[in-house]
Amino acid sequence: MNNFSFYNPTKIVFGKGEIAQLDALVPKTAKVLLIYGSGSIKKNGVYDQVIKALGKRKVTEFEGVEPNPYFETCLDAVSIIKQKKIDFLLPVGGGSVIDATKFIAAAALYEGKDSWDILSKQVEVKQAMPFGSVLTLPATGSEMNKGAVITKSETKEKLAFHSDKVFPQFSILDPETTYSLPKRQITNGIVDTFVHVIEQYCTYPVRNQISDRFAESILQTLLEEGGKVMKNPTDYDIKSNLMWAATLGLNGLIACGQPEDWSTHMIGHELTAFFELDHGVTLSIVLPGVLRVMKKDKLDKLAQMASRVFGINEGSRTERADKAILAIERFFRSLGAPTHLSDVNLDASCIDIVVERLEKRGWALGERHNITPSKVREILTNRI
Ligand code: NZQ
Ligand code: ZN
């Protein structure tokens, strides 16, 4: 097991009806900026529950955070915070709304000239405004982690930052808020969670049984519940399991003592930035390519996953690894997720664009830093 430090101060309040807890969680005298997306919370009753729970607190609303949130939109929110002397942020929505809030929280107190530097130059975040979240889309784990991904629309760059200062103080997870999710977003959420776990598990073994088995239990839960959810989109227990799985998939716990990959995500972010694909869509396309091209490096873990997660015990290690990759692709397709670039009307010409961008950044991805731009070309060529 590798050395690690683990810190996670976010309080989770889980279950039906728990949005009412906002009254106890948000300071009584807070001047709140309620941050949300394009209005799904007004259609499914979540907005009404939030407003009721906030009671007499002074609430200003910031509507219109887009999926894959824009830096430029976040700056509009920062201006409102300064104008209205806001002192507490409350994102209500999916990962995009929570990520935007993390960046807004940091940018509002940023003392440098250009807060884009937090993303492009990874300038340390020294302070951030306090916030808690209400999650409506289980997928990213943003509700219980310290990361956020923001896009600059001007340059089509999608970049991440991480800081202990942007953990939510609390996150409310009511599975009933997810009943209104369209199938596309249920699929995106399951794929995103699945790939988060794979990025932290499918590397090379370091005799870390506890983290391995946490990861395998999340993968198994996703396979089981993911197979049922489309026919039962308002089943409380299925939705509860998927919601908690998503949070545990990226709250730092299963990464403890493990090598981590994240190449599927980094390639996926470029595809989203250039071609506006959903985050989950990029992952279901790219992951099978990463696993195939990097199969030799990942063989031990692929074979372990084949047997422990998919019950594939026959054949050589290579044969089991191949079968596990096919099983993942089948699972993604059973959810309606695309697995090839052609499924989303992209052809080989997109590969040059992504590879050129990664070449400029000089990044070598993966747990062994050996996924060079030419390997990325191989990976994406595998996905045409
Ligand atoms: O705009 P609204 O009205 O909120 O509608 C959203 C949006 O259209 C809708 N939605 C959310 N909850 C709903 C709902 N519709 C009906 N009923 C509900 N209960 O779903 C659409 C997508 O929402 P979004 O927040 O964009 O999705 P997701 O949660 O998948 O977040 C994706 C973003 O998170 C980043 C991604 O890169 C992407 O920008 N990620 C953040 C991570 C992190 N902070 O740790 C890690 C992830 O790997 C990921 O990169
Ligand atoms: Zn993700």
Side-chain angles (χ1 to χ4, degrees), residues 197-203 212 215-216 219 301 304-305:
V197 177
I198 295 280
E199 301 266 32
Q200 300 163 89
Y201 167 83
C202 201
T203 57
D212 275 2
E216 287 155 1
L219 295 177
K301 293 305 274 292
Q304 177 177 311
M305 173 170 64

Side-chain angles (χ1 to χ4, degrees), residues 181-202:
L181 280 170
K183 278 192 173 162
R184 167 175 157 196
Q185 298 303 344
I186 299 176
T187 298
N188 282 341
I190 295 170
V191 169
D192 196 16
T193 307
F194 197 95
V195 178
H196 291 159
V197 177
I198 295 280
E199 301 266 32
Q200 300 163 89
Y201 167 83
C202 201

Side-chain angles (χ1 to χ4, degrees), residues 258-308:
Q258 295 280 45
E260 297 176 54
D261 179 346
W262 295 110
S263 58
T264 298
H265 270 71
M266 301 319 273
I267 300 167
H269 287 342
E270 300 301 345
L271 285 169
T272 297
F274 283 117
F275 307 107
E276 294 182 3
L277 300 180
D278 291 354
H279 176 61
V281 164
T282 67
L283 305 178
S284 57
I285 294 172
V286 176
L287 180 75
V290 168
L291 298 181
R292 286 217 170 83
V293 171
M294 303 311 293
K295 190 170 68 187
K296 273 195 189 135
D297 286 15
K298 294 178 180 290
L299 193 57
D300 289 333
K301 293 305 274 292
L302 280 167
Q304 177 177 311
M305 173 170 64
S307 122
R308 290 196 196 167

